[in-house]
Amino acid sequence: DGWAVTFACHRRYAEEAELLGVRAYPLRGRDPEESSGVVQGAAADRHWQELTADMEGALAASGARVAVLNFFAVPMMHLLEAHRVAAVALWPAPASPTKAFPHFLFQKPWSSPASSYLAAERVLWTPFRAPLEAWRRSLGLEPAPPGGHFELLRRSNAPVFYTFSPALLPRPADWPAHVQVIGPCRPERGPGEGLGRLLPRARGPLAAFTMGSRAASLQASNATFKGNVRTMVEALLAGGYSLVLDSSLAGPNEKANPRVFVQESYIPHSWLLPRVQLAVHHGGAGTFHAAAAAGCPQLILPLEFDQHFWARRGEQLGVAIALEAAESVLSSADARHAVGAVGQRADAAKGLAERVAEEGSGEQRFVERMARHKGGPNGHYVDL
């Protein structure tokens, strides 16, 4: 009596979806864990040709009446408009206009925060306008509004469900009723082979250090990033921590160090972070929320996109220290000072975790709201 689901995802995740009993539609394009940033020129043209063809294929294969879109799948709004398919947004970072704070893309204060969201719509649309307007013409559609697909979504009044915890960021009072905060969705799965056995052997406090899906490409292409990672590893070891280190950050010295446990395979943060005393990461929404739920103090080294927003929020909540690591060199003195000071955030981190725990399951709230969707059960939707 539920929804029939087609999960459109990169092919590396399609097999896992099938193992969970979810029909998958594999997408082409760059591996999300090997991507080195925004593509340009001829590569960008190929990217959009593949992506739009994949979107059309996923929609046709699913027979969907409703499409659930993550933030990066919002360009599908053009296709949904052409086929009169309803949209639902499922996003980890706030992107709906409010007077409470500016859009996460902008780090500096705005005199009128609500206007920053209109500016962000245009920033996210303009670089891709030409290929997507060509796609709209091929679909028989009129030109898009100035804010492109994000403006289309906003004007549609489609349900928007945010997967952040209200304890971390309360829902703004000026959001309309169709914009809801449902809380984080937490995967439940155990550790990779051997790690669960090795962690109890760690001497002293444990820190988990990860920098997200782009870490491997940045290690290979960005000398500043690579140097900052090494500086932070040295500061953590000097501060008495043993490390669970993502393999993308581990060089020969780290792999040979008996106080460093190299994480070779994926481990859910919901399993790992409750077992460590410090989370060091890039400030991605999922990692930030998992660390908050685990009661970990956090050292955040934001790189891009919404990461600076969550890093600032962590500092405001008193659970994190943020350090610039994207373009400026992190000094050994600053890294060691942060490692020494972050323990003072432990009590605030534990209190925040207690509030997050009281909120319950974001997945369950999403299921309940989808059951009330006007499309009704026994329908089909494609989850991108």
Side-chain angles (χ1 to χ4, degrees):
D1 294 327
W3 296 84
V5 178
T6 299
F7 182 48
C9 58
H10 192 275
R11 63 182 69 256
R12 74 153 54 201
Y13 305 121
E15 181 177 348
E16 184 172 350
E18 296 281 1
L19 290 174
L20 294 173
V22 178
R23 181 187 182 192
Y25 186 94
L27 303 174
R28 294 170 291 175
R30 300 176 301 158
D31 188 309
E33 296 190 12
E34 297 175 358
S35 171
S36 59
V38 176
V39 291
Q40 298 177 338
D45 292 339
R46 289 193 299 273
H47 166 76
W48 284 110
Q49 288 172 2
E50 290 180 351
L51 181 58
T52 54
D54 280 346
M55 289 179 176
E56 292 179 6
L59 189 63
S62 67
R65 293 208 312 266
V66 181
V68 179
L69 308 177
N70 72 25
F71 192 85
F72 297 101
V74 177
M76 194 175 185
M77 284 299 300
H78 308 290
L79 184 65
L80 302 185
E81 178 186 353
H83 290 272
R84 299 183 180 276
V85 173
V88 172
L90 188 66
W91 293 349
S96 300
T98 177
K99 297 177 182 178
F101 44 79
H103 193 282
F104 63 74
L105 286 183
F106 305 111
Q107 299 178 45
K108 296 180 179 180
W110 279 61
S111 58
S112 175
S115 66
S116 70
Y117 293 83
L118 305 183
E121 288 178 351
R122 299 190 182 203
V123 167
L124 294 167
W125 164 246
T126 301
F128 316 118
R129 179 176 179 176
L132 291 177
E133 285 288 19
W135 190 34
R136 287 183 64 85
R137 288 193 294 273
S138 73
L139 294 170
L141 299 173
E142 296 294 322
H149 32 265
F150 284 97
E151 184 172 347
L152 287 173
L153 180 69
R154 175 169 53 82
R155 287 184 177 184
S156 75
N157 292 327
V160 179
F161 299 128
Y162 284 111
T163 58
F164 54 78
S165 164
L168 273 61
L169 186 68
R171 180 183 181 276
D174 58 352
W175 273 356
H178 65 272
V179 178
Q180 295 290 325
V181 177
I182 61 172
C185 301
R186 304 184 184 97
E188 298 296 335
R189 195 166 59 175
E193 181 180 354
L195 189 60
R197 175 174 48 84
L198 289 172
L199 286 187
R201 299 184 183 180
R203 294 181 179 179
L206 263 175
F209 190 1
T210 179
M211 288 297 286
S213 60
R214 286 194 60 209
S217 64
L218 288 171
Q219 280 281 81
S221 63
N222 188 316
T224 299
F225 175 84
K226 186 174 183 179
N228 288 342
V229 167
R230 176 62 59 83
T231 298
M232 181 53 67
V233 167
E234 292 172 352
L236 290 165
L237 293 172
Y241 286 92
S242 294
L243 304 184
V244 179
L245 185 65
D246 188 275
S247 60
S248 63
L249 305 177
N253 292 339
E254 290 76 29
K255 292 178 180 179
N257 192 319
R259 290 171 56 201
V260 177
F261 304 94
V262 178
Q263 178 184 330
E264 297 288 357
S265 58
Y266 172 74
I267 302 172
H269 295 319
S270 59
W271 184 92
L272 176 62
L273 296 184
R275 291 167 169 79
V276 304
Q277 287 70 53
L278 174 63
V280 186
H281 61 93
H282 58 306
T287 311
F288 175 67
H289 285 66
C296 285
Q298 305 179 48
L299 288 177
I300 304 179
L301 293 78
L303 301 171
E304 59 187 358
F305 211 58
D306 62 334
Q307 296 163 15
H308 293 276
F309 178 89
W310 294 119
R312 289 195 304 274
R313 189 62 188 146
E315 290 193 313
Q316 292 167 358
L317 291 165
V319 301
I321 294 176
L323 296 167
E324 180 58 51
E327 298 178 357
S328 58
V329 174
L330 176 63
S331 73
S332 177
D334 286 345
R336 293 187 181 214
H337 179 267
V339 169
V342 73
Q344 300 171 16
R345 274 73 175 168
D347 288 343
K350 290 178 181 177
L352 180 60
E354 291 173 358
R355 298 196 298 276
V356 171
E358 293 172 354
E359 295 170 353
S361 168
E363 299 100 312
Q364 185 60 37
R365 293 190 186 93
F366 178 70
V367 170
E368 291 170 355
R369 283 160 176 75
M370 285 299 294
R372 298 197 299 267
H373 191 278
K374 64 182 180 182
N378 300 312
H380 293 71
Y381 73 90
V382 57
D383 182 359
L384 284 156

